[in-house]
């Protein structure tokens, strides 16, 4: 009864029954296994790539956390005594103070301009100061 054992196809069973001398090569199972191996290898490769990205992200996160905690724990740049600074740090501090001074001058000039324009529109008030410190 060759039709009752039709695995994987009835044709292969019939060929074995009719032509006993011709070996039947059944590569279906081998092809399926090869396809599964290719898919498994691709999944492993994708997993490794994602794992590498996560590791890199974790390292970056650790570095950033260390930078944040070191900045919180350290003194502010203006709190370090001048006699403990090297020439480069002294120059950097000088530049910071120059920028700060420029910001103060700009802010004061804007306030003077706003006050002047308000006085010009409404006229001088009795109790408003008419002289500003020199800039």
């Amino acid at each position: 009864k060759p039709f009752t054992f039709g695995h994987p196809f009835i044709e292969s069973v019939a060929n074995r029954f009719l032509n006993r001398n011709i070996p039947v090569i059944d590569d279906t199972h081998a092809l399926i296994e090869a396809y599964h191996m290719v898919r498994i290898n691709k999944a492993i490769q994708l997993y490794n790539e994602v794992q590498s990205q996560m590791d890199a992200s974790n390292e970056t996160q650790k570095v950033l956390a260390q930078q944040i905690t070191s900045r919180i724990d350290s003194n502010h740049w203006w709190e370090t005594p001048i006699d403990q600074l090297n020439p480069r740090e002294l120059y950097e501090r000088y530049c910071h103070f120059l920028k700060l001074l420029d910001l103060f001058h700009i802010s004061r000039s804007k306030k003077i301009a706003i006050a002047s324009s308000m006085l010009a529109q409404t006229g001088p008030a009795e109790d408003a100061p008419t002289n500003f410190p020199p800039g």
Side-chain angles (χ1 to χ4, degrees):
K1 298 183 178 184
F3 60 90
T4 58
F5 300 102
H7 176 73
F9 301 105
I10 190 65
E11 290 84 17
S12 62
V13 174
N15 286 337
R16 276 190 235 154
F17 182 73
L18 295 175
N19 302 322
R20 292 183 187 207
N21 297 336
I22 301 174
V24 177
I25 300 172
D26 187 15
D27 288 337
T28 306
H29 185 66
L31 288 174
I32 291 172
E33 286 299 317
Y35 178 73
H36 285 300
M37 289 305 295
V38 167
R39 291 198 54 188
I40 288 171
N41 288 337
K42 284 183 182 179
I44 290 171
Q45 181 182 3
L46 182 61
Y47 171 79
N48 290 337
E49 289 174 7
V50 170
Q51 189 67 37
S52 296
Q53 290 173 356
M54 286 178 54
D55 291 342
S57 176
N58 288 339
E59 286 300 316
T60 303
Q61 183 181 6
K62 286 179 186 177
V63 168
L64 290 175
Q66 287 174 349
Q67 289 176 350
I68 289 171
T69 54
S70 68
R71 286 184 183 162
I72 290 172
D73 295 339
S74 68
N75 292 338
H76 298 285
W77 61 268
W78 60 86
E79 292 177 346
T80 307
I82 291 177
D83 59 348
Q84 295 178 3
L85 300 176
N86 63 36
R88 181 186 55 82
E89 292 169 333
L90 282 170
Y91 180 74
E92 288 175 0
R93 181 170 292 182
Y94 172 74
C95 291
H96 286 299
F97 280 120
L98 283 179
K99 288 178 186 177
L100 185 61
L101 189 59
D102 285 342
L103 289 173
F104 283 137
H105 286 300
I106 292 170
S107 177
R108 191 181 89 198
S109 297
K110 286 181 181 179
K111 287 181 181 180
I112 291 171
I114 290 170
S116 296
S117 68
M118 289 175 58
L119 284 175
Q121 291 175 358
T122 60
E126 296 294 323
D127 58 346
T130 56
N131 59 351
F132 290 98

